[in-house]
Amino acid sequence: MTENVADKSVEQLKQERHRDYEVYPQGTMQEVFDDLADRREKCPITFSEKGGFWLATSYDDISSILRRNNRGFVSFPNIPDGKVAFGQKAQIPIELDGPIHTQYRKLLDPLLSPARIAAIEDDIRAVANDLIDGFIETGQCDVVPQFAFPFPGINFLTLMGWPLEDAEKMNEWVEIFLKGVPGGTEEETLQARIRASQESRAYIQAIVDDRRANPRDDITTTIVQTEFDGEPISDSDLSDLFVLMLMAGLDTVQSVIAQSMAYLAEHQDRWEQMFASPDSLEPAIEELLRWTSPAMPTRNVAEETATVGDMTLPRGERVFCPLNAANRDPKYFEDPDEVKFDRVDPKPHVTFSLGAHRCVGVHLARTELKVAFQELHRRIPHFRLVEGEKPRELMALTWSVDNVKIAFDPAG
Ligand code: HEM
């Protein structure tokens, strides 16, 4: 865009760049990607009057905004329509900004370091194999409920040192938080969420009380014993933090595995390519992360003004930054809709975000994906979609697929 926008008011820009965007789109993922590509080409930052947010679509604009968290932008509220979830309270730590957020990152980063995650890799592998044991004899697997969903949930319990036998309970709560009551009324979903929230908080409170009384050598104890400026983290904040960590780690890993398995079921040559040599797997996972890219952050202008692309926007304007739009920018990724494991020296994807809020679970996520694909490949070298079954695309504040039903002949 070559026009000079410096003298235009924000209201004028909103009118000129008005193009609504559905955060919960109908249609197919490819239709949304085509729409995002069209915007990127014609006017990379548009204004959606519906929901009242700007939508960035280019890799450069999205990266630049995310990198400027605390320098012109803040994360709260991290939702495009600005409606704050869970009362008026910011989610910890994803919607905290400034020094309090830095304190949480100083606490969490070392607890999820590569060394900490390497120490539980064998446990993660055992979880993958237990889950595969559960369906291997049947020659079929409904990927989301039988593997992609429970796998990161149980790994989270392992990481935190919580009882593994509570996995089912935990998965039920998360399922209600994320999906509500499928087929139920709004009221039924609301009631189920309130119940799940009360139960999970009571469960977490018991763990917190236990660690206060009987400290152990685990991550949970470290977090429970942490003080910020001489004050312990309150029970309510601990509960918020643990629930956020669980949801952030579960939904995303599940989505990447589910979308990847749906794709690989129909592209078995790629499944083989992933294991062609010991060096093939890591770049293949990065490409799948780029291509699946489930998360969609929002940032808010927090200073008098901030530059967004070619515009200067005032305080309070929200910019929605779908990471899958950045990751499909043809400026950096040729044939962006294609999965290509042989991209030469690819630009780093932004699937884990950038800047202050870049995913704290990145090492755990990469290890989970590596182990999941290795064990699935070892035990299920070939698979296909069950005849007549088609994955269902789910597009909300994160993107995923379900109904990924595969059939296979187990390894001999
Ligand atoms: C493939 C898997 C994953 C993806 C794609 C992913 C993606 C992301 C993204 C995009 C953000 C930042 C959002 C923003 O900028 O507003 C984020 C933050 C976060 N993620 Fe992940 N994540 C993954 C796995 C995990 C795991 C396994 C954990 C484990 C607990 C985790 C915990 C968190 C937490 C606590 C934050 C908040 C960080 C902060 O606000 O400073 N994530 N993740």
Side-chain angles (χ1 to χ4, degrees):
M1 200 161 296
T2 51
E3 59 172 336
N4 182 0
V5 297
D7 298 329
K8 295 188 176 172
S9 72
V10 69
E11 292 314 320
Q12 239 175 320
L13 290 166
K14 282 181 179 175
Q15 266 180 24
E16 287 178 10
R17 299 184 184 199
H18 174 210
R19 183 165 168 180
D20 279 340
Y21 180 81
E22 295 289 343
V23 179
Y24 300 91
Q26 303 296 316
T28 66
M29 284 188 184
Q30 193 54 53
E31 281 164 2
V32 182
F33 285 128
D34 292 344
D35 171 62
L36 291 168
D38 187 58
R39 289 171 195 254
R40 199 186 295 111
E41 212 180 296
K42 294 184 178 147
C43 176
I45 303 176
T46 44
F47 182 71
S48 180
E49 205 170 288
K50 196 169 179 190
F53 57 88
W54 297 89
L55 166 65
T57 53
S58 79
Y59 186 101
D60 291 337
D61 287 339
I62 289 177
S63 313
S64 156
I65 293 162
L66 293 172
R67 281 187 203 284
R68 282 181 286 154
N69 206 92
N70 293 330
R71 289 183 290 124
F73 293 90
V74 291
S75 168
F76 180 73
N78 196 343
I79 187 161
D81 67 7
K83 283 190 191 137
V84 181
F86 306 119
Q88 287 301 304
K89 209 161 169 272
Q91 294 187 74
I92 300 173
I94 205 158
E95 293 188 316
L96 296 180
D97 295 288
I100 180 68
H101 176 254
T102 311
Q103 286 183 314
Y104 272 104
R105 287 304 295 240
K106 280 193 180 146
L107 164 65
L108 293 177
D109 283 332
L111 298 180
L112 291 152
S113 68
R116 286 276 192 161
I117 303 307
I120 58 163
E121 183 168 330
D122 287 349
D123 298 315
I124 295 176
R125 201 170 294 281
V127 172
N129 278 302
D130 276 355
L131 291 169
I132 297 171
D133 287 344
F135 59 75
I136 190 96
E137 297 293 329
T138 66
Q140 291 206 355
C141 170
D142 189 350
V143 172
V144 172
Q146 292 187 282
F147 189 86
F149 190 77
F151 178 62
I154 302 171
N155 292 333
F156 178 81
L157 296 177
T158 308
L159 173 79
M160 302 301 285
W162 298 1
L164 293 195
E165 57 271 24
D166 294 338
E168 209 165 307
K169 198 156 54 178
M170 188 83 39
N171 284 338
E172 265 171 37
W173 293 329
V174 175
E175 189 135 7
I176 291 170
F177 287 141
L178 295 176
K179 301 181 188 160
V181 178
T185 62
E186 245 178 67
E187 182 57 25
E188 280 166 345
T189 286
L190 180 69
Q191 290 309 324
R193 287 206 168 119
I194 291 172
R195 220 172 25 249
S197 168
Q198 286 166 343
E199 285 172 13
S200 57
R201 277 175 176 271
Y203 173 84
I204 290 172
Q205 188 61 51
I207 289 183
V208 168
D209 292 344
D210 173 63
R211 293 307 195 278
R212 288 215 168 101
N214 314 296
R216 291 189 214 168
D217 182 18
D218 66 9
I219 287 186
T220 307
T221 305
T222 308
I223 296 176
V224 166
Q225 290 182 336
T226 294
E227 294 188 350
F228 293 148
D229 306 322
E231 290 291 323
I233 306 175
S234 71
D235 286 358
S236 148
D237 286 356
L238 284 171
S239 183
D240 287 357
L241 170 65
F242 291 146
V243 170
L244 186 281
M245 284 175 76
L246 174 64
M247 308 269 269
L250 203 146
D251 190 28
T252 46
V253 173
Q254 171 205 239
S255 165
V256 175
I257 294 176
Q259 290 192 70
S260 300
M261 291 301 280
Y263 172 84
L264 293 163
E266 300 196 291
H267 299 84
Q268 286 284 286
D269 54 326
R270 300 290 154 90
W271 185 228
E272 276 168 29
Q273 225 183 323
M274 285 171 75
F275 300 91
S277 82
D279 299 333
S280 311
L281 186 58
E282 197 189 309
I285 290 176
E286 293 309 305
E287 172 68 353
L288 289 169
L289 278 163
R290 177 195 74 80
W291 187 78
T292 55
S293 197
M296 326 230 155
T298 300
R299 292 295 183 269
N300 307 268
V301 178
E303 287 175 3
E304 200 177 328
T305 59
T307 41
V308 174
D310 60 345
M311 300 177 292
T312 303
L313 296 182
R315 191 192 304 277
E317 294 297 319
R318 285 190 305 278
V319 191
F320 183 43
C321 301
L323 301 178
N324 56 11
N327 280 337
R328 292 192 184 216
D329 187 336
K331 179 171 175 190
Y332 297 116
F333 303 101
E334 200 184 3
D335 301 328
D337 294 332
E338 302 285 314
V339 174
K340 289 184 170 182
F341 292 153
D342 52 0
R343 293 185 186 276
V344 180
D345 204 9
K347 185 93 173 161
H349 62 73
V350 294
T351 302
F352 292 112
S353 192
L354 293 169
H357 287 279
R358 183 169 185 269
C359 179
V360 76
V362 56
H363 308 298
L364 175 58
R366 286 192 164 121
T367 301
E368 288 182 311
L369 294 172
K370 178 186 76 178
V371 169
F373 289 130
Q374 282 175 337
E375 294 310 306
L376 285 166
H377 184 258
R378 188 170 66 79
R379 302 186 63 188
I380 308 172
H382 308 288
F383 61 97
R384 56 197 176 276
L385 289 177
V386 168
E387 225 181 295
E389 295 288 353
K390 211 170 157 269
R392 181 174 43 233
E393 296 181 340
L394 307 168
M395 290 175 283
L397 288 174
T398 54
W399 282 21
S400 190
V401 290
D402 68 2
N403 199 45
V404 184
K405 295 192 174 139
I406 58 169
F408 52 85
D409 303 318

